Amino acid sequence: MALGIFGQMVRSELEDVVGEAFVSTDETDRLVYSTDWSWMAQMWLDRGQPLSKPDVIVHPGSPEEIADIMKIANGYRIPVVPYGGGSGTQGGALATHGGIVVDTKRLSKIIEIDEKSLKATAQAGIINEQLEWALNEKGLTFPHYPASSNCATLAGFLAARGTGTISTKYGKAEDLVMTMQVVLPNGTIIRTPAVPNHSSGPDFGRIFLGAEGTMGIITEATVQVDHIPEARYLRALLFEDLSKALEAGRRLMTRRLDPFVIRLYDAHSTASQVKRVLGYELEGSYMVVGFDGDPDIAALQERKAMAIFDELGARDLGREPGERWWNHRYDFYYPPKSLKLPWMYGTTETVTTYDKIEALYWAKKRAVEETYADHGVQYIGHFSHWYHWGVSLYDRFIIEEPPEDAEEALTLHNRVWTTAVRASFEHGGMINDHHGVGLKLGRFARMQYGPAWDLLVSLKKAIDPNGIMNPGKIGFGA
Amino acid sequence: MQIIDSTPISDNCRYCLMCRHVCPVGHVTRRESLTPHGWGLLIASVERGLIAWDEKTVDVLYACADCGTCRANCVTDQALPDAIALARQSVISAGLMPDVVADLDARLRQFGNPYGEPSSSDPVAKAADALFVGDDAKHAWSSALDAALSLLERAGVKPALIGVGRNSGYLPASLGLYETAKSIAEANLAELAATGARRLFVLSAGDYDAFARLYDERLGLALPDGVEVIEVVSFLSGAAESGRLRLRAADGLGKCAYVDPTHAVRVASRHEAPRRLLGTVVGGPPVELFWRRERAHPSGNTALQFTQPKISNHLTYSRLDDAKNVGAETVVTECSGTLAQLAKHAPKFGVRVQGLYELLAANVA
């Protein structure tokens, strides 16, 4: 790439900070860092269309180096895009405005594992699975098991407020974080308080959770960890009626039976996904439920749950299908088992309260299926992250024969998404539960937040007055 | 079955991030383009006209170690290393072979190995068993061969030697030099056939994978009918268990770590055998490295030691650093190529290097 005089000067400044080996303007790097795990970026390249590329990629080795990079970028008003695992599905790591991509993966050290307080401190570019392996050596686990565990970084899933398979008991990533170190756009390095629960003023650290790199770069975090549970009891059930299955999940949660997982597939997912990946041919709604921890307590919780399932007419499929699901829970995301191009697909997941969830599901299904019937759209969903008050719906649309033309395809993709998100809003749902907003859903942020959106914009302006941090994401503009 | 069309593989891998965390090259370089999905995306993007092969992009293509860790950790068994090797072959066909690869090709064609020393042309003996010696055990770390032969003899095996000083064909196959790889592999197979052996013993996981998989998948070559490939460590472990080989405890090694050799991840059933043998002589299970078993990273003895020595050295540093982090004083493995790489840099890390075969041979009861 020809950087020009200014670009070369900036590159030299960046090299002074991180060293020549850790600055790249190579075409291959620019190509690879131009995409992430979002359908729109992948489709764009698949159709032979180039994406906006970063001008330069830097690989800092310390928070101080990141601070110096920020000072350079802020001084020259150059966009900065933090890049962790690149596993975001909403285009949050796309360098839509060029600029500097800051790959955080050299910051991967585990700083401390505290076996007494059950917390681990690591640099935030560490891949989740590597942190997990290190904890497992000590009989511990970080109870954040996202499907992206192999590829998402600690900073990445905190910045996107990600969740994992066992969030129903252990919480989302944001619930597990205790403290963070963050580099602000002006290069200041700050720390949030050492403990998450106190009454010492507003919890300003929360502003960086879900900010997707628009407010600063998370460089270190301390998270709560657990002992690897002594027992994990899983089993599967089949419900003829989705309504009863949702009610079963609600009762488990509101009676605080503390399942670590409830995964409920709708009939379409059961017939397609469950069959394709697990090999079971079933009609109805397939549910996996699990209890863990002390074997006696987990067994008792499971017994109580079984009584509820029985009351609601569920068919007990036994342990094997539950354990099989657990052992293969990430297989759904390996191509060609995963949804993949040239198909069009999108995960329009959302979350709402128990009183609204069923109506929301049917309304979305109807809206998407009826509006896009001519495109042969399929709508599938599962309910996977359960709270005391409600549940997330992880729903997806699939069009197997989308338009060939990239722009036409993206337009249709956006329209389907609009239909789905509007249906969510009309039934009390959020833009989403855990995939973040990124580039894809920024246009819905103002709709979601109403007048409160201006407050968020003011905060963004106060923290990043020059608008250098990840421009164009979560609706903040450049 | 030979893989001849890499497009479905690179298309599957280009956006998949599920094995990136186990890629050793990605681990030491931290560059997205030097990871499985980076290579997949590069190949797929060339096919789509988004980028072209030139000196720099070819350099990226040649940065993959062909260690197999990605495939070993892939739920859907994507043969990305084979797809990368095929892409290298097409780059060579397009006249873009890097100079360093051309030099290696010349040496491999002339000598059958990259060391510039002629392979043995002695006629092979007839025997029920054969042992493939290869080039590393002849030219890089020769004490392993004598030790392995004495151990096999103790266990009742006297093999005919084949491929003495000759590469298995892995190196040229990794580099996309399929014609060269094929002619080297055919020479090895001709010697194997001449022995009439039904059992082919090999000294390392890489040699096992060459004969048991790579010849078929990458080169379209078959072993003589009915020949069983056996890793010497697995055989010795069985012999020790059945009492045919008796070992005693060794002194003075300090805390020992076993280093899984290059390609170990490709031979899933082999992980326990060398650990059991080492455990017998050191009096307990060896210390485990962080990157081990199915996620084992190679040391620098891949094609990268010749084509991209900087990355190769970092792979070795990373193994030694791993050993240091777990408090190991001695690192042990049986693979000659791995031993040679570790020994080159071990003094900087204050770690001793010990060949497993030599250790076992010195401690036969």
Side-chain angles (χ1 to χ4, degrees):
Chain A
M1 182 194 64
L3 280 177
I5 290 177
F6 176 68
Q8 284 294 356
M9 295 310 292
V10 172
R11 185 192 162 118
S12 294
E13 268 194 81
L14 293 169
E15 283 182 4
D16 290 345
V17 173
V18 297
E20 189 188 336
F22 300 111
V23 179
S24 175
T25 51
D26 283 359
E27 275 307 300
T28 316
D29 285 322
R30 295 179 66 229
L31 167 76
V32 174
Y33 282 96
S34 73
T35 184
D36 63 6
W37 217 62
S38 59
W39 177 86
M40 55 184 173
Q42 296 182 356
M43 178 276 294
W44 208 252
L45 290 176
D46 183 63
R47 309 293 164 92
Q49 302 293 318
L51 284 163
S52 303
K53 293 174 185 166
D55 295 297
V56 59
I57 300 105
V58 288
H59 302 264
S62 69
E64 291 73 22
E65 287 184 358
I66 292 184
D68 287 344
I69 293 164
M70 295 287 223
K71 285 174 194 163
I72 293 167
N74 209 27
Y76 295 125
R77 316 291 196 262
I78 299 170
V80 172
V81 181
Y83 200 103
S87 54
T89 58
Q90 317 292 26
L94 298 180
T96 48
H97 294 62
I100 303 168
V101 157
V102 177
D103 183 333
T104 58
K105 286 194 290 297
R106 272 183 75 213
L107 295 172
S108 61
K109 286 192 195 78
I110 295 172
I111 295 161
E112 186 194 20
I113 295 175
D114 176 348
E115 296 180 64
K116 188 165 189 182
S117 307
L118 290 182
K119 60 187 173 68
T121 301
Q123 289 187 312
I126 192 167
I127 299 285
N128 194 53
E129 195 65 7
Q130 292 174 357
L131 174 61
E132 180 64 11
W133 287 335
L135 288 164
N136 289 171
E137 311 255 297
K138 295 177 181 294
L140 300 174
T141 182
F142 175 40
H144 177 62
Y145 294 7
S148 60
S149 189
N150 288 359
C151 44
T153 60
L154 179 52
F157 53 72
L158 289 175
R161 299 178 75 177
T163 198
T165 323
I166 60 174
S167 67
T168 297
K169 177 170 179 176
Y170 295 95
K172 295 180 71 181
E174 66 196 87
D175 303 316
L176 295 165
V177 69
M178 297 183 69
T179 175
M180 294 181 293
Q181 180 191 61
V182 181
V183 181
L184 299 178
N186 65 5
T188 304
I189 301 175
I190 61 163
R191 274 185 192 278
T192 64
V195 293
N197 303 107
H198 55 84
S199 72
S200 312
D203 192 355
F204 70 90
R206 304 290 293 186
I207 197 70
F208 302 103
L209 300 171
E212 301 185 32
T214 60
M215 304 279 192
I217 298 182
I218 301 168
T219 46
E220 185 187 302
T222 299
V223 292
Q224 299 169 54
V225 300
D226 262 85
H227 294 289
I228 293 173
E230 209 179 319
R232 261 190 196 128
Y233 299 135
L234 286 129
R235 61 195 315 127
L237 302 119
L238 190 69
F239 290 82
E240 278 180 26
D241 181 349
L242 182 69
S243 184
K244 286 191 174 163
L246 282 167
E247 174 60 12
R250 186 192 73 80
R251 287 194 201 172
L252 258 60
M253 295 307 294
T254 53
R255 292 184 194 181
R256 299 220 186 256
L257 290 181
D258 219 12
F260 73 92
V261 66
I262 306 175
R263 176 68 62 111
L264 169 63
Y265 292 91
D266 72 358
H268 196 142
S269 284
T270 302
S272 55
Q273 304 289 96
V274 172
K275 182 183 170 190
R276 190 156 51 84
V277 179
L278 302 180
Y280 300 128
E281 284 200 52
L282 299 164
E283 276 182 35
S285 291
Y286 183 78
M287 178 191 274
V288 173
V289 65
F291 297 90
D292 69 354
D294 180 281
D296 295 337
I297 295 171
L300 178 62
Q301 289 168 326
E302 189 187 52
R303 266 206 314 281
K304 297 267 182 194
M306 291 309 291
I308 292 172
F309 295 140
D310 198 42
E311 274 167 36
L312 291 163
R315 192 174 122 209
D316 181 13
L317 301 174
R319 290 214 181 282
E320 197 276 337
E323 283 161 4
R324 185 170 172 74
W325 176 85
W326 176 253
N327 294 330
H328 294 273
R329 65 192 185 278
Y330 300 151
D331 292 9
F332 293 82
Y333 303 94
Y334 285 80
K337 285 177 189 273
S338 58
L339 300 179
K340 78 188 263 287
L341 298 165
W343 287 8
M344 174 186 289
Y345 46 87
T347 304
T348 54
E349 46 112 10
T350 186
V351 60
T352 190
T353 47
Y354 288 123
D355 60 321
K356 298 186 175 77
I357 189 67
E358 193 178 352
L360 184 156
Y361 166 79
W362 290 112
K364 274 182 98 170
K365 184 174 171 64
R366 199 166 43 247
V368 170
E369 286 180 347
E370 286 176 5
T371 313
Y372 302 98
D374 290 350
H375 295 279
V377 73
Q378 296 171 62
Y379 176 88
I380 61 174
H382 62 253
F383 302 84
S384 43
H385 306 286
W386 299 69
Y387 306 90
H388 186 62
W389 44 263
V391 60
S392 76
L393 163 62
Y394 189 100
D395 54 342
R396 297 173 127 181
F397 65 87
I398 302 160
I399 295 175
E400 292 184 17
E401 289 179 14
E404 287 283 324
D405 179 77
E407 288 186 10
E408 259 185 72
L410 183 54
T411 301
L412 176 61
H413 196 253
N414 286 340
R415 285 180 184 154
V416 182
W417 218 298
T418 301
T419 302
V421 172
R422 283 196 177 139
S424 289
F425 285 169
E426 282 162 14
H427 291 81
M430 296 295 293
I431 293 175
N432 69 30
D433 174 69
H434 61 268
H435 280 178
V437 178
L439 174 67
K440 185 75 188 174
L441 306 180
R443 64 202 168 99
F444 299 117
R446 184 175 291 276
M447 269 187 252
Q448 175 85 73
Y449 289 105
W453 177 247
D454 292 338
L455 175 67
L456 278 173
V457 171
S458 302
L459 278 170
K460 161 76 174 168
K461 281 186 178 157
I463 293 170
D464 180 22
N466 293 321
I468 62 164
M469 291 308 301
N470 209 4
K473 308 299 164 50
I474 66 171
F476 282 137
Chain B
M1 196 174 66
Q2 193 176 7
I3 295 165
I4 48 172
D5 180 11
S6 64
T7 303
I9 300 168
S10 52
D11 274 6
N12 276 327
C13 298
R14 64 189 157 149
Y15 298 128
C16 178
L17 305 171
M18 297 302 265
C19 67
R20 182 183 54 191
H21 64 308
V22 294
C23 172
V25 173
H27 183 70
V28 298
T29 64
R30 304 289 181 188
R31 277 175 67 183
E32 285 292 326
S33 52
L34 305 188
T35 66
H37 101 92
W39 289 305
L41 185 56
L42 174 60
I43 295 167
S45 297
V46 169
E47 285 173 8
R48 284 163 177 77
L50 287 162
I51 196 164
W53 293 125
D54 58 24
E55 200 182 326
K56 282 191 168 176
T57 51
V58 167
D59 193 54
V60 168
L61 185 67
Y62 271 93
C64 164
D66 189 11
C67 65
T69 317
C70 54
R71 186 175 177 184
N73 285 269
C74 178
V75 165
T76 58
D77 193 33
Q78 299 299 314
L80 181 64
D82 297 55
I84 291 170
L86 275 170
R88 289 170 177 175
Q89 186 191 32
S90 72
V91 159
I92 290 168
S93 303
L96 291 165
M97 174 156 52
D99 290 346
V100 64
V101 176
D103 289 347
L104 274 169
D105 190 31
R107 265 181 285 163
L108 285 160
R109 283 172 186 269
Q110 187 180 352
F111 302 109
N113 65 57
Y115 296 105
E117 299 279 345
S119 311
S120 169
S121 54
D122 295 346
V124 293
K126 285 266 179 201
D129 299 312
L131 173 75
F132 173 75
V133 176
D135 51 359
D136 288 343
K138 175 74 180 167
H139 302 299
W141 189 274
S142 56
S143 55
L145 176 61
D146 287 344
L149 286 170
S150 80
L151 289 162
L152 285 170
E153 193 173 350
R154 285 283 187 148
V157 175
K158 284 193 80 169
L161 303 186
I162 67 163
V164 178
R166 187 186 300 119
N167 190 265
S168 66
Y170 224 121
L171 175 63
S174 276
L175 296 170
L177 300 163
Y178 277 31
E179 269 180 44
T180 307
K182 216 166 168 175
S183 90
I184 286 175
E186 281 168 345
N188 290 330
L189 290 175
E191 287 189 359
L192 174 60
T195 64
R198 313 306 289 170
R199 295 195 296 184
L200 172 62
F201 285 91
V202 292
L203 294 166
S204 69
D207 291 342
Y208 181 92
D209 188 55
F211 285 97
R213 183 195 62 86
L214 181 127
Y215 279 20
D216 172 35
E217 271 189 15
R218 224 176 268 186
L219 305 176
L221 297 174
L223 260 59
D225 277 351
V227 171
E228 184 191 2
V229 186
I230 302 169
E231 250 199 277
V232 171
V233 278
S234 301
F235 180 79
L236 295 177
S237 175
E241 232 168 276
S242 66
R244 281 178 291 135
L245 177 69
R246 297 177 65 186
L247 300 163
R248 63 167 183 254
D251 293 325
L253 290 167
K255 216 168 162 184
C256 285
Y258 176 70
V259 178
D260 290 288
T262 304
H263 305 297
V265 292
R266 287 177 150 137
V267 191
S269 59
R270 56 109 49 212
H271 300 317
E272 292 306 325
R275 289 173 167 80
R276 271 199 298 268
L277 288 166
L278 178 57
T280 307
V281 291
V282 300
V287 180
E288 289 285 2
L289 301 188
F290 185 79
W291 296 99
R292 60 180 185 265
R293 297 172 188 264
E294 68 279 359
R295 65 178 191 238
H297 283 176
S299 302
N301 66 312
T302 67
L304 295 176
Q305 68 185 298
F306 305 106
T307 57
Q308 311 237 15
K310 214 168 158 184
I311 295 176
S312 165
N313 286 342
H314 277 284
L315 292 174
T316 308
Y317 302 156
S318 188
R319 295 291 57 69
L320 290 162
D321 207 32
D322 198 349
K324 219 176 151 187
N325 287 340
V326 295
E329 295 158 82
T330 306
V331 289
V332 183
T333 193
E334 72 283 5
C335 167
S336 295
T338 299
L339 286 161
Q341 289 296 319
L342 290 170
K344 204 158 73 177
H345 303 291
K348 275 181 274 185
F349 290 80
V351 175
R352 284 192 300 267
V353 177
Q354 170 66 54
L356 179 60
Y357 294 131
E358 297 90 315
L359 178 64
L360 299 174
N363 290 286
V364 173

